[in-house]
Amino acid sequence: MGLISALAAYLSWGLVVPVHFRLLAGIPAETILAQRIVWSALLVTGLIALLRRRLANPFPLRPRHAWLVVSAGLIGFNWLLYLVAVVSGHMLDASLGYFINPLVSVALGALVLGERLRPLQGVAVAIVVLGVAIALMMAGRLPLLSLGLAVSFAFYGLIRKLVGVDATVGFCAETFLLLPAALAYLLLAAPPVPNDARTWALLALTGVTTALPLIWFAAAATRLSLATLGLMQYIAPTCLMLLSTLLYGETLAPDRIVLFALIWLALVLYAYDAIRHERRRRAA
């Protein structure tokens, strides 16, 4: 169940979500973010009403549940960065961020959860750090959008794993924690949205394309190690990179070619190490 949930989440993020939000490219990222929070709140309320007897009850509340406030802030920040990248035609930056993210997850698993970092995993993390340093020297600037996406989502996955609350209940809590700010922005500061059926249909569907992948991801995060999640997570940025170059005509700058190449090398090493470790475990 954990592997299926992770696969569904990453394929959605890599193919369905970017195409969906690119169709809303004429609307500011902040407005799309606020709209997707509102529509997600409506959707998840319906899901909880429908599935209330099957959901794991989080009560009585434990101190660790307070971390959902932090996870809500992290996922809201991550959504905003992702939307900025997609609607402004910088999908390669988003792809790069989610290529870096698996290795950040591996490092966090080792530093925070005590998941042992095997030698090849350590080499893979070091290669990514080297790639970022080389890209900085070549371009003269840090890929801040990419790094922001990578770090914010890695910490989000870590916190959701530590909280251990039911996936749907946790997402509902995060959504309603973000809802007041979203409503305030829409009522007080948002520019008007084009009043046509296509735009509103696409905005309404943001609830579906936001909620379902996150619920699937949270379900996977409670069942799989951060290392396994990190290994599977490169599915989404691969799809995103192919979309950005083949469908939307973005081009790779030299510094990004070097960085992508080093990240792929790191991922190959990491995948080889994970497969070898799994075979040894089964043989033992």
Side-chain angles (χ1 to χ4, degrees), residues 115-253:
E115 295 178 359
R116 188 175 179 182
L117 202 63
R118 296 185 294 273
L120 273 181
Q121 290 179 325
V123 171
V125 173
I127 288 174
V128 173
V129 174
L130 175 64
V132 172
I134 292 174
L136 173 61
M137 289 187 291
M138 292 180 66
R141 62 181 181 86
L142 277 172
L144 292 177
L145 182 59
S146 302
L147 291 175
L149 283 165
V151 172
S152 61
F153 198 74
F155 273 97
Y156 173 75
L158 171 66
I159 290 173
R160 286 305 303 266
K161 186 174 183 65
L162 291 174
V163 171
V165 73
D166 178 273
T168 306
V169 172
F171 177 69
C172 179
E174 291 168 346
T175 302
F176 278 97
L177 285 168
L178 293 171
L179 186 59
L183 289 173
Y185 173 79
L186 290 174
L187 293 173
L188 301 175
V193 173
N195 191 21
D196 60 85
R198 175 184 176 276
T199 298
W200 282 104
L202 288 170
L203 288 171
L205 284 173
T206 59
V208 176
T209 55
T210 296
L212 291 185
L214 272 173
I215 290 171
W216 289 327
F217 173 78
T222 59
R223 292 172 172 85
L224 302 175
S225 69
L226 280 181
T228 302
L229 283 176
L231 179 62
M232 295 187 68
Q233 198 160 332
Y234 68 86
I235 294 171
T238 299
C239 295
L240 194 56
M241 183 179 69
L242 292 173
L243 277 177
S244 63
T245 54
L246 299 179
L247 184 61
Y248 295 114
E250 292 188 47
T251 56
L252 280 167

Side-chain angles (χ1 to χ4, degrees), residues 52-75:
R52 62 186 182 276
R53 294 182 181 178
R54 294 170 53 189
L55 294 176
N57 194 328
F59 299 101
L61 291 174
R62 306 295 183 189
R64 68 177 187 275
H65 292 142
W67 282 100
L68 287 172
V69 177
V70 180
S71 68
L74 285 169
I75 199 59

Side-chain angles (χ1 to χ4, degrees), residues 28-118:
E30 297 84 358
T31 301
I32 301 174
L33 174 62
Q35 289 278 350
R36 73 188 294 197
I37 291 169
V38 172
W39 290 108
S40 296
L42 292 173
L43 176 65
V44 82
T45 299
L47 284 175
I48 285 183
L50 182 66
L51 303 174
R52 62 186 182 276
R53 294 182 181 178
R54 294 170 53 189
L55 294 176
N57 194 328
F59 299 101
L61 291 174
R62 306 295 183 189
R64 68 177 187 275
H65 292 142
W67 282 100
L68 287 172
V69 177
V70 180
S71 68
L74 285 169
I75 199 59
F77 179 67
N78 185 270
W79 286 348
L80 181 60
L81 291 181
Y82 180 82
L83 282 167
V84 168
V86 171
V87 301
S88 64
H90 292 86
M91 290 171 65
L92 278 173
D93 285 329
S95 175
L96 177 59
Y98 291 120
F99 270 122
I100 297 172
N101 175 257
L103 284 307
V104 178
S105 293
V106 173
L108 284 178
L111 292 172
V112 180
L113 301 181
E115 295 178 359
R116 188 175 179 182
L117 202 63
R118 296 185 294 273

